[in-house]
Amino acid sequence: MFMGYFPSVQDKNWGGQRGAGVPLPKDSGQKLSSPSCLPDPILNSLRLPQAWLDTQDRHLGHYVNGKWLKPEHRNSVPCQDPITGERLAICLQAQAEDVVAAVEAAGTAFENWSGLPGASRAQHLLRLAKMIQKHQRLLWTLESLVTGRAVREVRDGDVPLAQQLLQYHAVQAYTQEEVLAGWEPMGVIGLILSPTFSFLEMMWRICPALAVGCTVVVLVPPASPTPLLLAQLAGELGSFPGILNVISGPASLGPVLASQPGVQKVTFCGAIEEGRALRRTLAGKGAELGLALGAESLLMLTEAADVDSAVEGVVDAAWSDRSAGGLRLLIQESVWDETMRRLQERMARLRGGRGLDGAVDMGARGAAAHDLAQRYVREARSQGAQVFQAGAVPSDSPFFPPTLVSDLPPASPCTQAEVPWPVVVASPFRTAKEALAVANGTPRGASASVWSERLGQALELGYGLRVGTVWINAHGLRNAEVPTGGCKESGSSWSGGPDGLYEYLRPSGTPARLSYFSENLNYGTFGLAVPSTLPAGPEIGPSPATPYGLLIGGHFQAPGARSSRPIQDAQGNLHGYVAEGGAKDIRGAVEAAHQAAPGWVGQSPGARATLLWALATALERREAALTSRLERHGTELKDAKVEVELSARQLRAWGARAQAQGHVLQVAGLKGPVLRLREPLGVLAIVCPDEWPLLAFVSLLAAALAHGNTVVLVPSGACPIPALELCQDMAALLPAGLVNVVTGDRDHLTRCLALHQDVQALWYFGSAQGSQFVEWASAGNLKPVWVNRGCPWAWDQEAKGAGRELGLRAARTKALWLPMGD
Amino acid sequence: MSARNRGTELDQVGGATEEGVDLPSSLHPTGMHTSGFGCFPMEPEALNLSWISKMQVNQPAVLRRAQQIQARRTVKKEWQAAWLLKAVTFIDLTTLSGDDTSSNIQRLCYKAKYPIREDLLKTLNMHDKGLTTAAVCVYPARVCDAVRALKAAGCTIPVASVATGFPAGQTHLKTRLEEIRLAVEDGATEIDVVINRTLVLTGQWEALYDEIRQFRKACGEAHLKTILATGELGSLTNVYKASMIAMMAGSDFIKTSTGKETVNATFPVAIVMLRAIRDFFWKTGNKVGFKPAGGIRSAKDSLAWLSLVKEELGDEWLTPDLFRIGASTLLSDIERQIYHHVTGRYAAYHDLPMS
C-alpha cells in the first residue's frame, strides 16, 4: 500500500536474470490454498497456522472442559483471511445448550480450583506461560493470519505480554492467602469479547480471574481461532480441564451466558452502545457486570513537546496495529503547522500490507472495521473536515490507509462520535487549561498521553485528565503490574495490577449472587410520581423540634415542592415532618456538589481527615439527642449508644485511611515510576439503607468524603431524623455543597439520581426493585453503581458491612506513567 | 517469481509506488567517485541560534523508537542480499590503528576495490556493476599510502582522512587546522574532523560554529565530515544542537563517533541526528549526509541502519553521497552472509579473503 519498501530492486536487478545458481525455496508439494504469488517468507509463516487448522479438519468448534466440543446441527460461519477473503476454516456457532454445558464445566471445575492453595494455582499458571512460550510462533502467526494485524505487533507485543500476565498473576496467586486475606473468589466468570479486541484482552481478564480461584467461560465472536488455541493449550496441561472454556457464538448469546445460574460476574469488552444495551438487559440479573468499552484514545501535544517523538506517539496510538481504536489528537496552536507537516511526512512512510509480512506497519482488519472507518471519514468530509491520507487506495481494497482528519467543526456530530481505527482527528487548542477542558469534554475516558518537556505542565495535565491511564511522553505502554481501565462511558472494569484482582473477589462470607429480577418492574413509571402527603396528626413527644429542610449548598432550605412528609416513630406516632424533596431539589443538590468538587479534590488527605475528625467530635457532642432519636425509632438504648459510638469511629477511621492512598509501581523495562493514583469519583449519590439509620449514613458518607468525593445523600426513609440532626453540624463545619442531603420519597429521588447524567456514581441500598431500576438506569451515562439487591447488611460488623468493599468503591484508579531519562 | 510478484501484489493491494533501494544508478561508477561526491562542498549558513534554542529531545521516547526500528523492517532472502550489497557501497572502509603500515593499507585499498568475492557477485549477476566501498578512511600520515595503493589498483575510490587531533580534539586550533591542510595536500578528498566537546558541554555554540567554519575553509575542495563524538555530549538534546551547529557551519556530513569513545554509534543518537538533518533540509533546502561509525560489526546491524535512514529521511538519502557507514570488520560479515545466500552454506574463515 502506502509505499513499496523494496520491490524495485527485485524487479530491475533480479527478476529476469536470477537463474544461475541462486537456490530458491520452492513450495514443494505442500498444498496451500493461499495464492501462490506471495513471497516465500510469508508463505513460510502461513504453513504453521494452516497445519494447526488442518488438525481440526478446518472445522472449529468450542473448547469446553478440556475437550473440543463440536455439536451437530449448528450454524456455522466461515473464518476468512481478511485480505484475500479466502476461507481458512469453518466455525460452529454456539447455541444456548452449549453455553449451559460450558458454564456447568466451569462450575464443576470451580469446586476444585478455588479450593487449591494459591501456590498450586501459581504453578499451573506458570505451566501455561511455558506452554505459550513453547508454541508462540503458532500463536502469533495464527493471530496475524486471522485478524490481519501486523505480525510484528503480535510477536513482539502481545505474546510476550500474555506470558508476562501469566507470570505476574502466578505471583499474585502465590501470595493470595496472605495479601488478600478476607476475600474469596466470586465463582464462575463470564467474559464476552467483541470482534475488535484481540486475544490479549482475553488474557488481561482471565489471568486475574484464574489466579484468585475463579473459573472462566469466554464467549468469543464467531471466527476467532486464537482464543480457542489458547484454551486448547491450557487444556493440554492435563489437570483442571474446565477452568478455561471458550465458546464462539454471536453477540446475542451474551445475555444467555450472563443469566446462567452460577455465573457470578460478567465482563464485557466491546463497543459502548453494546455495553449500554447489556447493562440494561442485565439489570436485576444474578451476575455482576464489568464493562470495558470503546477503544478511542487521546493524545495531547503541547508546544513544549519533542514534536518528532510525539509524532511517533501518534503512530503508536493509531497506525501501528497496537490499538483497536482511533485517536483524538489535540495540538497546541503554536506548533500546529509544524506538527501537521511532520505527521504527513511520517504517514507517507507507513507501510501497509499483509500482516504476516515482517516489514509492515499496518495490516487490514476485515470488512467491518474498514466500513466503520470509511463511514466516519465520509461523514467527517461532508461535515466540512479536511482529510489527509497518504497514498490512494482503490475502493475495493481491503486496506484502509492511515487517515488524518482536521478542521472538523467543533459542534459537528463527528467531533462527538468515537473515532474509529485508523483515523486520527486533530484539533487545535490555545492553552493547557483549554486542552484539559476539551479533553475532558467527551463522554469517554479510557487513556490519554501528554507530550511536554516541562515537568510541571506535564504533571498538571496528567493529574487533570479524567481517564484511566495517562502516559507522559509515551503512548500505549502496558504492563501486567499496572492496572488498566477507564472511567465515564469507557466503563469501570479494571484489569492488571491489584485492581484487576479485586474485580473477581468478594469479601469472604458474602452469599452467592442470585437473580432478583422482577418482570413486573416498569422502568417507565418506577418512582415517577410522589404520593401526596397530608398533615398526619399532632406531633407528640419530649424530644426537641426536629431539624427541617434539605441541606443543599451548605444551608437548610425549603423543598421545591413546598410540602412535607410525616415520619412516624416505632409506636406509630408522628415523630416529625421532613421536607419532601423532588427533581428540582436533586438538580440543585447535584449542582452544588459539582461546585464544591474542585475545592474538595484540591484538599490534602490530611485536611480531609481533620474535617472528618471534627465531624466525629461534633457527633459525639450530640450523642444524647441522637441516642434518644434512635431509641424513639425502636432501637434498644444499648444498641443506640453502640450505633452512635460506631458512627464516630467510622468517621475517624476513614479520616485516617484518607492519608494512605495510592502507591508507586515499579515496572520492568521502564525507567521511572508508574503512579497508581486513587482519584475521587466526582459527584457521588448515595441512597442510604433503612437499617442502621445513623451508622450506615455515616459510614457511607465518611468513606465517600475521605476519598475526595462530594456527595448527594438520601438518608434512611423510615428514620431520617438522626441524619438530619447531624446535618446541622455539617452545615456549620463542612465547605458549602460538599455534602447535600435530600429527604423525600426514596423511589422518586432514586429515579432522579439514577437518571441524572451528571451524577458520576451511585450507591443504592434499598429495595430489590429499586436496585434493579438503578442498574437499568445507570446505562444512561454508564455510571458505576453499587446496589444491595434488596438485602439488608449488618453495618456494625466490619466483614458483613461494607468495610472492605467501601474503600474500593469510593475512588477510581488512575495509572500515571512517568518514563524518565535524559 | 516471488520478487516480481511481490511488487505486483503490493500494487494490487494499495498502489505501491515504485520506490526502493535503487541499486544500478548508485552503484554505477560514473561521476560518483571522481570527487567523492556528486555535488560541490556545502556552503555554510549564517549562525541562527533560534533553530536550537527551544529544542528538547525526549530520551525515553527516542529509545522506544530506536527499539521499534530494529524490529519493524525484517527483510529476508533475496531482498536481504540486495540490501547487503547496497550496504557495501556505503562503507567507509576504515583502519585507524597505531600499527598501520603501508602494507595493511594496501590490503585495505584492494579490499575496497573488490569488496565481495568475484564468483559470488557473478552468481548474483552483479560482477560488472562496479561494486566498491564508498571510500577508505585512514590517519593523516597514511593518506599518501592509501592514495598510492588506490592509484595502483586503478580506481578512483576517494581517500578520507581523520584530522583535528583525532580522536579527542584536545590540541590547539592552529595545529588542528594545519592537520587538515596537510591531509588535503597529500590527496585526501574527504576530511573527518572531530569537534571540540568542551564547547558543547559548556554551551559555547557560537565558538563551536566558528571553529567548524574554519575547518570548512581549511578543507577547500575536500568534503567535510564532522564527528560529533556523541558518546561524550551528555544528552540527546546536546546531540541535536551540535548536529544543527555543524550543519550550519557547512559540514557535508555529520558523523556519530570516532569509534574510540566508550559509547559509539547507537540508534537513539542516530534518530536524533537524522531528525536534525531533516529539519535542516526543511529550513535550508540543503541535504547533509549522515555517517554512523563505531561498533557496527554485523550484517544485520547494517540492514537496521539502512532501514533507519530510509524510515527517517527517505530513499533520497540512501546514496553514498549522503550516507556512509564507518566500519572495519562489517564488510567481512556482509561477505559471509552473501556467501551463505549464494551457496546455502556458512563460510569458513579461510573461504573469504582478509582485508
Side-chain angles (χ1 to χ4, degrees), chain A residues 357-658:
Chain A
D357 184 337
V360 144
D361 291 300
M362 274 169 69
R365 297 277 185 93
H370 186 278
D371 292 348
L372 191 66
Q374 186 115 329
R375 223 171 20 245
Y376 184 91
V377 170
R378 201 180 296 135
E379 267 172 41
R381 212 177 246 137
S382 75
Q383 286 160 17
Q386 296 287 321
V387 175
F388 177 82
Q389 293 175 325
V393 173
S395 57
D396 57 345
S397 159
F399 293 98
F400 200 84
T403 304
L404 178 63
V405 173
S406 56
D407 299 335
L408 199 58
S412 64
C414 274
T415 316
Q416 298 302 315
E418 188 177 358
V419 180
W421 171 91
V423 181
V424 172
V425 176
S427 42
F429 65 87
R430 291 169 299 172
T431 62
K433 207 172 159 192
E434 187 180 60
L436 211 48
V438 174
N440 288 339
T442 74
R444 297 166 293 278
S447 60
S449 63
V450 173
W451 294 79
S452 169
E453 295 301 310
R454 287 212 296 270
L455 180 66
Q457 183 188 48
L459 283 177
E460 180 165 31
L461 289 170
Y463 272 83
L465 282 165
R466 286 188 65 87
V467 294
T469 304
V470 179
W471 299 281
I472 305 288
N473 293 322
H475 199 105
L477 306 181
R478 293 185 93 176
N479 191 290
E481 291 171 44
V482 182
T484 309
C487 64
K488 299 198 271 189
E489 289 191 0
S490 298
S492 44
S493 162
W494 287 80
S495 47
D499 302 76
L501 297 172
Y502 286 114
E503 289 279 317
Y504 306 101
L505 289 168
R506 61 179 173 212
S508 303
T510 316
R513 297 172 66 104
L514 300 171
S515 176
Y516 63 101
F517 180 73
S518 156
E519 290 275 355
N520 304 325
L521 179 63
N522 183 336
Y523 296 123
T525 57
F526 175 85
L528 193 58
V530 182
S532 41
T533 47
L534 296 168
E539 287 189 52
I540 305 170
S543 58
T546 52
Y548 180 84
L550 308 171
L551 177 63
I552 293 177
H555 51 86
F556 280 95
Q557 61 184 52
R562 294 290 188 270
S563 50
S564 307
R565 55 193 295 122
I567 300 297
Q568 282 154 350
D569 61 18
Q571 280 76 45
N573 298 320
L574 183 68
H575 186 177
Y577 288 99
V578 297
E580 180 74 71
K584 292 253 167 63
D585 304 307
I586 291 293
R587 187 193 65 187
V590 172
E591 264 172 29
H594 270 290
Q595 276 172 10
W600 187 240
V601 173
Q603 295 278 349
S604 71
R608 286 183 213 149
T610 310
L611 268 179
L612 286 175
W613 281 49
L615 197 57
T617 313
L619 187 142
E620 280 163 350
R621 225 179 283 130
R622 283 186 191 271
E623 190 187 352
L626 288 169
T627 317
S628 80
R629 299 268 187 211
L630 288 169
E631 222 184 333
R632 218 177 139 181
H633 275 273
T635 317
E636 297 280 323
L637 177 64
K638 180 167 59 75
D639 295 343
K641 283 203 159 140
V642 168
E643 184 166 357
V644 174
E645 194 184 310
L646 279 176
S647 300
R649 198 183 294 167
Q650 283 286 332
L651 283 167
R652 294 219 167 86
W654 281 111
R657 278 178 220 169

Side-chain angles (χ1 to χ4, degrees), chain A residues 746-788:
Chain A
R746 284 164 57 86
D747 286 352
H748 181 60
L749 297 177
T750 301
R751 180 184 184 87
C752 297
L753 288 168
L755 290 173
H756 201 304
Q757 292 282 105
D758 222 3
V759 168
Q760 276 130 358
L762 176 57
W763 298 347
Y764 178 85
F765 298 88
S767 64
Q769 286 210 337
S771 300
Q772 185 182 336
F773 178 82
V774 164
E775 289 194 326
W776 176 84
S778 71
N781 65 349
L782 288 169
K783 54 172 88 69
V785 293
W786 184 22
V787 300
N788 72 336

Side-chain angles (χ1 to χ4, degrees), chain A residues 1-18 20-25 27 36-42 44 83 152-153 155-156 304-306 308-309 312 315-316 320 322 341-342 345-346 349-354 357-361 392-394 397-399 451 453 473-475 477 670-671 819-822, chain B residues 1-24 54-62 64-65 68 71-83 85 122-126 129 234-237 240 275 278-279 282-283 306-308 310-316 340-344:
Chain A
M1 183 172 25
F2 326 115
M3 175 187 270
Y5 204 58
F6 29 63
S8 70
V9 174
Q10 312 302 329
D11 288 355
K12 288 176 195 157
N13 301 298
W14 297 72
Q17 29 184 313
R18 191 179 40 198
V22 185
L24 260 186
D27 307 319
S36 55
C37 62
L38 290 173
D40 310 322
I42 297 184
N44 280 337
I83 291 151
R152 154 190 58 76
E153 201 52 54
R155 180 192 62 204
D156 303 340
D306 172 358
D308 279 312
S309 291
E312 290 306 324
V315 174
D316 285 345
S320 69
R322 184 171 303 173
R341 179 174 187 184
R342 280 166 208 270
E345 163 90 9
R346 183 70 179 90
R349 297 196 197 292
L350 289 167
R351 190 160 181 275
R354 239 190 121 85
D357 184 337
V360 144
D361 291 300
V393 173
S397 159
F399 293 98
W451 294 79
E453 295 301 310
N473 293 322
H475 199 105
L477 306 181
L670 178 85
K671 268 176 82 185
M820 66 184 189
D822 179 41
Chain B
M1 169 197 76
S2 49
R4 183 169 295 282
N5 281 334
R6 180 187 184 90
T8 8
E9 191 231 351
L10 281 168
D11 280 338
Q12 287 162 355
V13 159
T17 48
E18 279 289 301
E19 280 179 78
V21 250
D22 202 2
L23 267 175
K54 276 202 336 203
M55 189 61 198
Q56 278 290 325
V57 177
N58 188 279
Q59 188 246 18
V62 171
R64 277 195 304 278
R65 169 75 176 141
Q68 288 171 356
R72 282 200 176 168
R73 298 286 184 255
T74 323
V75 290
K76 300 270 191 214
K77 310 233 180 241
E78 51 268 52
W79 296 275
Q80 194 182 61
W83 276 73
L85 290 184
K122 215 165 201 161
T123 323
L124 298 170
N125 207 23
M126 291 294 290
K129 297 287 201 303
S235 73
L236 290 181
T237 306
Y240 182 92
R275 285 175 181 172
R278 185 185 53 206
D279 288 352
W282 281 357
K283 284 181 201 306
L306 257 65
S307 72
L308 175 65
K310 185 177 163 65
E311 288 296 299
E312 288 287 332
L313 293 175
D315 292 323
E316 313 135 76
H340 176 248
H341 175 73
V342 170
T343 64

